[in-house]
């Protein structure tokens, strides 16, 4: 159905199905008719042919994706939306709706089932309450996807796309860069939504890399090192790592020195290659002392 970003179309539809927005599920719907066609064009739907959408809502982006892609699979948690979606997507036979929580579903199995092993892209207006965990899940699972194009809160967009080694960076910026090349595509003001939220948004695209830009022997320890460095942002990275990873400060100092990093460095000054060298040096310190290694379980 066209016009799904027009309040004159949305309101009667919501009334007909007795649907009320759930703030808890991040349900703000777009009322700016230019955003979804732009996202559908920029996400590579036409080129790849297969799109995974998370949180179709009333189907405004889903409809645009269906015009470009061969197949769209849309995962929605709120089952109250399904009767409404069958009406708004009635003329889109290439859309499959999947009920479930995107954080809990086996996405690799879902992609294989929906797209028969072909590669896909992800495109979504994400529920903001799970932006970073969901983006990280999509990256870490090493799914057969080429890119992730998502609308997120403006501040989250800036953090996710920040270059490690710059002030705006955080642990998630380093993790994103490890797996992908990120960019902010365009900004979307709060007035483009109904009900209007208190925040502005931006659409970002993460193109997945074939291989990480740095060599890391123990990935779990690498991500643990990154998170530990940023855990106490106001402290030096030596202190933050020592406190968070429960390592002697002297051992952490030696690791920084072996990695060629100044003792007073802050996490935001460290680039991806710095974290990689630091991780290798910390592993040597840890192995020398305890023989421990990071495990996948450290990933939390
Ligand atoms: N795509 C629509 C749009 O552009 O207007 C709606 C986007 S709305 C911000 C987020 C959607 O994600 C809602 O439909 C909500 O029910 C759904 N959602 C929230 N948490 C989810 C989860 N864990 N898994 C799947 N869908 C979820």
């Amino acid at each position: 159905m066209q016009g799904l970003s027009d309040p004159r179309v949305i309101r009667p539809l919501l009334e007909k199905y007795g649907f009320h927005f759930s703030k808890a599920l991040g349900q703000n719907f777009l009322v700016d008719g230019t955003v979804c066609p732009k996202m559908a064009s920029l996400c590579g739907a036409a080129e790849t042919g297969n799109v995974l959408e998370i949180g179709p809502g009333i189907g405004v982006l889903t409809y645009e994706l269906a015009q470009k892609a061969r197949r769209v699979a849309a995962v929605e948690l709120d089952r109250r939306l399904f009767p409404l979606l069958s009406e708004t997507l009635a003329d889109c036979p290439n859309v499959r709706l999947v009920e479930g929580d995107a954080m809990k579903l086996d996405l690799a199995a879902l992609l294989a089932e929906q797209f028969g092993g072909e590669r896909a892209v992800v495109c979504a207006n994400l529920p903001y309450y799970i932006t970073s965990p969901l983006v990280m899940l999509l990256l870490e699972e090493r799914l057969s996807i080429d890119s992730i194009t998502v609308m997120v809160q403006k501040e989250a967009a800036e953090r996710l796309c920040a270059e490690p080694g710059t002030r705006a960076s955080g642990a998630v910026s380093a993790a994103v860069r490890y797996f992908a090349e990120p960019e902010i595509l365009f900004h979307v003001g709060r007035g483009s939504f109904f009900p209007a939220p208190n925040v502005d948004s931006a659409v970002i695209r993460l193109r997945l890399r074939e291989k990480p830009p740095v060599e890391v022997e123990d990935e779990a320890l690498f991500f643990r090192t990154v998170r530990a460095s940023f855990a106490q942002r106001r402290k030096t990275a030596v202190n933050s790592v020592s406190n968070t990873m429960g390592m002697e400060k002297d051992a952490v100092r030696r690791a920084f020195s072996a990695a060629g990093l100044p003792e007073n460095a802050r996490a935001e000054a460290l680039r991806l290659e710095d974290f990689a060298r630091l991780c290798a040096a910390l592993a040597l310190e840890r192995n020398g002392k305890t023989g421990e290694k990071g495990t996948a379980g450290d990933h939390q």
Side-chain angles (χ1 to χ4, degrees):
M1 181 190 281
Q2 282 180 306
L4 285 175
S5 46
D6 182 343
R8 287 168 304 183
V9 175
I10 301 174
R11 271 204 195 97
L13 204 56
L14 297 181
E15 267 165 36
K16 178 173 169 190
Y17 289 93
F19 184 81
H20 298 283
F21 291 103
S22 157
K23 263 199 174 170
L25 289 183
Q27 289 171 343
N28 287 296
F29 295 98
L30 265 169
V31 290
D32 174 342
T34 66
V35 175
C36 290
K38 224 158 136 185
M39 285 182 75
S41 292
L42 293 171
C43 74
E47 295 77 4
T48 313
N50 302 313
V51 184
L52 172 66
E53 186 191 5
I54 291 159
I58 60 172
V60 58
L61 175 61
T62 327
Y63 181 83
E64 298 300 334
L65 293 169
Q67 310 311 307
K68 301 269 182 206
R70 210 149 38 86
R71 295 180 284 203
V72 179
V75 177
E76 175 57 59
L77 176 62
D78 189 347
R79 56 169 24 190
R80 298 174 306 150
L81 284 163
F82 282 75
L84 192 154
L85 280 166
S86 4
E87 177 171 340
T88 58
L89 300 174
D91 48 355
C92 302
N94 54 343
V95 175
R96 292 255 198 100
L97 296 173
V98 179
E99 188 186 333
D101 182 338
M103 292 296 295
K104 295 187 184 149
L105 285 175
D106 180 344
L107 293 176
L110 181 94
L111 287 169
E113 188 187 305
Q114 297 291 330
F115 305 133
E118 287 180 23
R119 295 190 73 77
V121 294
V122 174
C123 187
N125 292 331
L126 284 189
Y128 292 173
Y129 75 105
I130 44 168
T131 297
S132 291
L134 194 51
V135 167
M136 285 318 302
L137 181 82
L138 291 168
L139 291 172
E140 284 174 354
E141 291 282 304
R142 293 196 155 83
L143 304 168
S144 51
I145 53 174
D146 292 334
S147 65
I148 301 170
T149 302
V150 284
M151 173 141 54
V152 299
Q153 194 173 322
K154 180 171 159 269
E155 291 72 18
E158 286 163 358
R159 190 44 74 83
L160 288 163
C161 296
E163 173 113 37
T166 64
R167 248 199 121 105
S169 67
V172 79
S173 329
V176 165
R177 285 283 156 157
Y178 183 81
F179 292 110
E181 291 174 62
E183 63 185 312
I184 295 183
L185 294 178
F186 59 94
H187 289 91
V188 181
R190 63 193 72 188
S192 299
F193 296 89
F194 169 73
N198 302 326
V199 294
D200 293 314
S201 299
V203 175
I204 62 172
R205 183 173 57 203
L206 315 178
R207 287 185 201 272
L208 273 77
R209 300 181 191 273
E210 275 179 23
K211 79 187 220 338
V214 289
E215 258 186 53
V216 168
E217 206 177 297
D218 183 343
E219 258 185 17
L221 182 61
F222 173 75
F223 289 115
R224 206 173 156 206
T225 304
V226 171
R227 279 195 307 273
S229 305
F230 280 102
Q232 298 173 324
R233 267 188 99 98
R234 284 159 190 238
K235 301 202 163 150
T236 62
V238 166
N239 282 332
S240 188
V241 167
S242 162
N243 296 339
T244 313
M245 290 176 68
M247 287 179 72
E248 295 276 341
K249 205 183 278 182
D250 276 347
V252 179
R253 273 204 199 101
R254 280 196 302 275
F256 268 70
S257 162
L261 300 172
E263 216 180 88
N264 61 355
R266 308 246 162 202
E268 65 206 39
L270 303 183
R271 299 158 308 163
L272 220 47
E273 50 272 35
D274 297 328
F275 283 117
R277 286 199 314 278
L278 177 60
C279 167
L282 286 171
L284 286 179
E285 284 295 332
R286 280 158 57 99
N287 290 340
K289 284 229 148 79
T290 64
E292 272 180 68
K293 266 197 114 187
T295 64
D298 288 339
H299 241 315
Q300 304 315 311

